[in-house]
Amino acid sequence: MTDITLLDGSIGQEVVKRSGDRATPLWSTAVMVDRPEVVGSVHADYFAAGATVATMNTYAVLRDRLVRAGIEEHFEELLATAAQQAAAARDAHGAGRVAAALGPLKASYRPDICPPHNDAKPIYAEVVRLLEPQADLFLIETVSSVEHAKGALLGCETTDKPVWLAASVRDDDGTLLRSGEPLSALAPLIAEFQPGAVLLNCSRPEVIGAGLEIVQSFGKPFGAYANGFTRISEGFLKDAPTVDALQQRQDLGPAAYAEFAMGWVAQGASIVGGCCEVGPEHIADLARLLRAAGHCIV
């Protein structure tokens, strides 16, 4: 059977649940200043559940986001702490890889305010330079437009580490990026920059299958990790939102989510995992199903 890379699930929301802190626009980031062990415990639980990749808690550790929150002076400290916590969990587990997450500039799901690619390139390049010693790969996440993809891929040009690109598609149509552009419009960038894998992330699991039909035509290893939100609400698309503006689904428990993910594997996906509202229990269920089906988790 197929070798499957099993990603972890939500990092930020797991951190918030365990910390007991009130959600803020940087709900998962500020906790690393005073309570980094909370992040480490999340990574450890995902490894115990069967994940083979720990995603650094760096999604929102970007200068533009930190300036707005008034904590830009912690930029390098936050990156270093996130890298250390992920690497320590991997080392304690005895196996696995560490992925450095590169989230959207400004805000998630907001292609309308995405900086031009020439402006985005140096912002991402700085993060890549600082995280490269600890990262086994770079994971560009929640890409909502072609311009977003280009800026992030340009920022990764200097690394020799694998770069994976993960796009987010519309809640009602998995063939369209959140910008409204066709998912297929990423094809020229995939051909130009040659990322190591192309994924779909932070989208409703129901629309992932249609998107993967397009992604697999790019000729790269592919996969998906969906979210567990009812939808991306209008409230979350306002300036400086908090996760409180999003509602967790009550019909997407571990068994239901694993069924979706196994469907993606049946389509040929070799990389699966979870995004927001998908926790260690979901990953554990998915790991059991993968093994039962004869797949090797790598």
Side-chain angles (χ1 to χ4, degrees):
M1 297 296 284
T2 312
D3 287 350
I4 302 294
T5 296
L6 183 54
L7 303 174
D8 48 16
S10 170
I11 302 297
Q13 284 156 298
E14 284 294 313
V15 167
V16 136
K17 289 173 184 176
R18 298 179 192 208
S19 69
D21 294 338
R22 180 180 61 86
T24 68
L26 284 178
W27 66 89
S28 67
T29 301
V31 70
M32 291 191 296
V33 175
D34 300 317
R35 302 173 64 189
E37 71 281 356
V38 176
V39 178
S41 72
V42 174
H43 292 313
D45 285 354
Y46 279 122
F47 276 129
T52 56
V53 176
T55 306
M56 291 183 197
N57 190 31
T58 53
Y59 180 90
V61 186
L62 297 159
R63 285 198 184 274
D64 65 316
R65 295 194 181 213
L66 301 184
V67 166
R68 186 170 57 195
I71 56 173
E72 186 191 7
E73 71 272 15
H74 294 291
F75 173 66
E76 293 195 21
E77 173 192 352
L78 288 167
L79 289 177
T81 298
Q84 190 277 330
Q85 290 295 320
R90 175 202 57 200
D91 295 345
H93 182 64
R97 287 179 286 175
V98 169
L102 302 174
L105 302 177
K106 304 289 188 182
S108 299
Y109 324 119
R110 292 292 307 274
D112 57 311
I113 60 173
C114 175
H117 62 266
N118 285 331
D119 293 342
K121 176 181 176 178
I123 300 172
Y124 282 118
E126 180 185 24
V127 179
V128 169
R129 175 178 59 81
L130 291 170
L131 291 180
E132 185 161 27
Q134 298 86 10
D136 296 309
L137 63 100
F138 287 91
L139 181 55
I140 303 170
E141 296 195 290
T142 322
V143 169
S144 295
S145 69
V146 174
E147 188 72 358
H148 177 180
K150 186 170 184 177
L153 287 167
L154 282 168
C156 292
E157 277 188 314
T158 58
T159 183
D160 293 326
K161 305 288 178 68
V163 176
W164 295 357
L165 181 74
S168 185
V169 294
R170 286 177 45 161
D171 289 347
D172 59 347
D173 189 342
T175 70
L176 298 177
L177 294 166
R178 292 196 180 272
S179 62
E181 298 166 290
L183 181 60
S184 59
L186 291 175
L189 290 180
I190 304 306
E192 178 181 357
F193 290 96
Q194 293 292 315
V198 183
L199 312 170
L200 298 179
N201 85 300
C202 215
S203 309
R204 286 172 57 85
E206 287 86 352
V207 301
I208 293 289
L212 290 183
E213 291 296 320
I214 295 169
V215 168
Q216 65 181 342
S217 71
F218 296 158
K220 295 292 181 181
F222 68 93
Y225 52 115
N227 68 34
F229 295 135
T230 56
R231 64 189 178 91
I232 302 305
S233 69
E234 290 78 10
F236 197 79
L237 298 179
K238 296 178 180 178
D239 290 342
T242 73
V243 76
D244 293 341
L246 300 172
Q247 183 178 354
Q248 181 181 6
R249 292 175 61 165
Q250 301 304 308
D251 62 342
L252 200 63
Y257 185 81
E259 185 176 348
F260 278 114
M262 292 302 291
W264 308 331
V265 171
Q267 287 183 264
S270 59
I271 306 167
V272 291
C275 205
C276 306
E277 299 293 1
V278 176
E281 297 83 4
H282 295 80
I283 299 302
D285 245 36
L286 179 51
R288 285 193 291 270
L289 281 184
L290 287 169
R291 293 190 184 102
H295 296 290
C296 181
I297 299 176
V298 297

